Amino acid sequence: MGFLSKLNQLFSTLQALKAEITESKSLFDDLKSRVSTPSLPVSNPTLSSWQDDPLQIPMQPLPTTAEIIIIGSGISGASIAYTLLKKCPSSKIVMLEAREICSGATGRNGGHIKCSAYMEYSTLKARFGNSAKQLLRYQKRHMPLLLGLIEELKIEAEAREVETVDVFTDEKAWGEAKQMVKEFKTDLPEEAEDIIVYDGVDGCQEYHVNPAHCCGIITYKAAALSPHKFIISLYAMLLQNPNFTISPGTAVTEITSADKYTVFTGRGKICASSIVHATDGFAATLIPGLEGKIFPVRGHVTTQSGCGFDASRSWCIHHKRGFDYISQRPGGELVVGGGMIQSPGRGVDEFGIWRDDGICYSIRAYLGGLVETVFETQTKTERAWSGCMGFAPDLLPFVGRLESSMTGRRSDGEWISAGFQGEGMVLAWLSGVAVGLMIAGDQEYQDEAGIPGGRVQDWLPRELICSKERVDRLSVSDLAALL
Ligand SMILES: Cc1cc2nc3c(=O)[nH]c(=O)nc-3n(C[C@H](O)[C@H](O)[C@H](O)COP(=O)(O)OP(=O)(O)OC[C@H]3O[C@@H](n4cnc5c(N)ncnc54)[C@H](O)[C@@H]3O)c2cc1C
């Protein structure tokens, strides 16, 4: 999926949100209350298929001091730790994770590394004008960077380049998509070379799509992987440095500051000079100034067996309202996610849900029948799970230093990399790298696996910076206003 995909691939959900917000004050009040009531991750989440092979590490007593504490062990925390251990290998870094390692959104996502460049660009251009190209390239850079890193580190994570297939089941959405491709090809011809458009049912046979529901198909390059395997394999490598420790089952409940920061957990307290929040949708639990400015939206994924497609392809099915996504693991299992608009509240009731221990009945039932409808082939749902994605009302991540007006604490050593809008695989790695490099010191860096060369300010779009001015402007009703 992609950057402003809540306006693009998820745009129908937000259109529903706009309609609901406009129609019903009580619905909006409920939504506002939900998003402004932060909570810790629940202790008994649904289990994704990726998590069948967890990273087991011996339980150690919690250290009493560290130089840097990273809270959260998803892809964002991983890239911060990786960058810091590359640039300052002798720093004592402690990662605190409320549950199992990588059990948040990263360990339960769809595994798609997909930037729908033509859709993203259209929305970014309308919102940010000249900055659109930099914002788009930031996302696009993730795929080669992650695949290169995985290859260099020899990590077995099912990582593969795929030909991704966008199928449109609605004439209006199809017409808009073709317009977006046209605009993209005019403005960025060199970035659009991989895009192929199949009008009507022209591409159905090649891509196994039932022509009865197909208005058109657009294909281009993307990638897929097991996000959990990637991240836990990376941690297994990073843990070879004795200065790095991870403490699972250690929820942070409070942070105070005096000379240093003191972080309180259910397993004791620990002092440090710097704290990094890599907690995505849960960031506001520990950052009071972000209450209502970052919040979770619950998503669903299933694995399904019984049909063999092609592991070198992935699909997104775009409907009049909402979208779904499918990829095939090399072993044969299909990963099928989406369906948000099918919830009883047309997706709005999935906003502000701080728990991933349940499944929405109607979304689960819908995803179970999706493959048969789109591809005319039967599957059996093997596993269904949910997960919390961090959203900000302006649909951009928060990256950088946190000011004391947001934390109520000293401002020299608190940082954030969070709010990836369900697009972490094309946003979170570089956001974590940026924060890691900012902590390591503002200077010109050499290119190395997973870390771009140059200065951070040269490649990090300034729109992502977590400034007070940006945060003050944000309100949940912006979600509707953006449409
Ligand atoms: C169902 C679903 C499907 C998705 N599909 C895709 C996809 O196909 N492609 C894509 O690009 N993106 C997808 N995403 C989004 C992507 O997974 C996220 O954007 C990304 O994983 C966020 O990474 P993160 O490291 O910021 O957060 P997370 O992986 O959520 O990590 C944050 C961690 O912080 C921990 N934590 C929170 N609070 C505390 C605390 N107080 N103390 C200690 N620990 C704490 C949590 O337990 C969690 O492990 C999907 C997300 C979901 C939920």
Side-chain angles (χ1 to χ4, degrees):
M1 299 181 283
F3 206 172
L4 292 178
S5 66
K6 301 325 131 193
L7 296 178
N8 298 325
Q9 290 156 318
L10 197 53
F11 74 106
S12 304
T13 303
L14 289 176
Q15 281 172 336
L17 179 64
K18 181 187 182 187
E20 299 288 347
I21 286 170
T22 318
E23 275 166 24
S24 160
K25 183 174 175 320
S26 77
L27 212 129
F28 184 50
D29 289 345
D30 283 354
L31 175 68
K32 266 204 311 195
S33 153
R34 280 202 308 276
V35 303
S36 308
T37 314
S39 161
L40 287 169
V42 293
S43 56
N44 55 340
T46 52
L47 269 189
S48 76
S49 294
W50 312 119
Q51 290 174 276
D52 286 348
D53 189 14
L55 177 62
Q56 309 276 12
I57 53 171
M59 199 63 147
Q60 307 274 9
L62 195 66
T64 51
T65 59
E67 278 170 76
I68 302 163
I69 292 175
I70 301 170
I71 310 172
S73 67
I75 184 171
S76 189
S79 68
I80 296 161
Y82 172 80
T83 307
L84 283 168
L85 289 165
K86 280 274 177 195
K87 301 301 178 192
C88 338
S90 55
S91 293
K92 188 175 170 195
I93 301 169
V94 175
M95 176 174 279
L96 304 175
E97 167 54 53
R99 311 190 297 199
E100 267 186 15
I101 296 170
C102 195
S103 59
T106 309
R108 50 189 63 247
N109 77 28
H112 239 162
I113 306 177
K114 173 165 174 167
C115 169
S116 304
Y118 65 98
M119 288 190 180
E120 293 298 320
Y121 179 67
S122 176
T123 314
L124 290 168
K125 189 177 164 188
R127 280 188 72 198
F128 300 107
N130 289 339
S131 301
K133 289 179 184 169
Q134 192 196 17
L135 285 158
L136 180 76
R137 287 184 179 130
Y138 185 70
Q139 290 181 66
K140 286 197 81 182
R141 198 166 188 179
H142 276 77
M143 183 177 119
L145 201 83
L146 290 177
L147 293 181
L149 176 69
I150 288 167
E151 192 180 343
E152 171 120 0
L153 299 182
K154 299 188 173 40
I155 291 176
E156 291 294 330
E158 301 177 18
R160 60 212 184 267
E161 209 174 283
V162 297
E163 177 186 32
T164 196
V165 183
D166 287 352
V167 180
F168 291 82
T169 63
D170 175 70
E171 279 298 347
K172 185 163 175 280
W174 173 236
E176 287 165 359
K178 281 192 291 187
Q179 267 309 112
M180 290 176 190
V181 172
K182 211 167 147 194
E183 180 184 35
F184 188 55
K185 286 194 168 183
T186 306
D187 288 9
L188 285 159
E190 69 290 0
E191 312 256 354
E193 281 164 7
D194 57 335
I195 299 181
I196 303 174
V197 177
Y198 298 86
D199 226 327
V201 298
D202 286 359
C204 287
Q205 196 175 353
E206 170 71 19
Y207 297 106
H208 316 297
V209 175
N210 179 357
H213 309 293
C214 182
C215 301
I217 287 173
I218 296 173
T219 66
Y220 46 99
K221 282 186 196 153
L225 82 174
S226 162
H228 183 261
K229 187 78 184 164
F230 165 41
I231 297 304
I232 64 164
S233 305
L234 183 59
Y235 283 136
M237 288 179 188
L238 298 181
L239 283 166
Q240 287 168 14
N241 182 332
N243 292 316
F244 178 54
T245 53
I246 309 182
S247 182
T250 310
V252 176
T253 49
E254 190 187 355
I255 303 171
T256 59
S257 70
D259 288 350
K260 289 193 168 194
Y261 293 95
T262 305
V263 169
F264 295 82
T265 81
R267 299 184 58 227
K269 61 182 181 180
I270 168 167
C271 293
S273 312
S274 300
I275 313 277
V276 195
H277 297 261
T279 46
D280 204 33
F282 294 89
T285 312
L286 298 167
I287 308 168
L290 290 184
E291 263 181 39
K293 317 274 181 168
I294 184 167
F295 49 84
V297 175
R298 191 172 66 163
H300 290 75
V301 177
T302 63
T303 39
Q304 303 184 18
S305 63
C307 119
F309 283 144
D310 185 345
S312 65
R313 283 194 182 140
S314 70
W315 290 261
C316 261
I317 321 298
H318 299 266
H319 311 286
K320 181 174 183 186
R321 307 188 63 199
F323 75 98
D324 312 301
Y325 49 94
I326 301 171
S327 64
Q328 180 170 9
R329 298 179 70 178
E333 206 173 39
L334 290 179
V335 180
V336 183
M340 187 179 286
I341 203 77
Q342 308 299 329
S343 75
R346 296 196 281 163
V348 180
D349 47 349
E350 297 294 329
F351 280 64
I353 302 295
W354 299 77
R355 30 194 332 136
D356 50 11
D357 54 349
I359 303 280
C360 168
Y361 168 84
S362 50
I363 294 177
R364 157 75 177 77
Y366 167 83
L367 291 176
L370 179 75
V371 177
E372 186 184 353
T373 313
V374 179
F375 300 101
E376 287 190 292
T377 177
Q378 297 226 329
T379 56
K380 174 172 176 276
T381 301
E382 300 290 347
R383 186 87 64 93
W385 64 89
S386 63
C388 298
M389 313 177 261
F391 263 63
D394 65 358
L395 308 171
L396 297 174
F398 291 119
V399 181
R401 195 191 289 273
L402 285 164
E403 297 176 30
S404 57
S405 60
M406 295 174 217
T407 59
R409 300 179 285 266
R410 56 188 295 164
S411 64
D412 54 343
E414 245 180 298
W415 306 81
I416 187 166
S417 167
F420 300 111
Q421 334 289 328
E423 317 294 348
M425 306 314 287
V426 291
L427 284 171
W429 180 267
L430 278 176
S431 299
V433 169
V435 169
L437 295 179
M438 288 174 190
I439 296 171
D442 179 17
Q443 55 174 283
E444 185 99 20
Y445 285 100
Q446 293 296 315
D447 231 333
E448 58 185 310
I451 303 178
R455 299 179 87 106
V456 173
Q457 67 203 44
D458 297 337
W459 52 264
L460 179 73
R462 62 189 152 74
E463 288 78 5
L464 275 53
I465 297 291
C466 185
S467 67
K468 179 175 182 322
E469 191 203 350
R470 175 180 161 204
V471 169
D472 283 349
R473 269 199 321 264
L474 296 177
S475 150
V476 67
S477 49
D478 295 349
L479 283 176
L482 275 170
L483 292 166

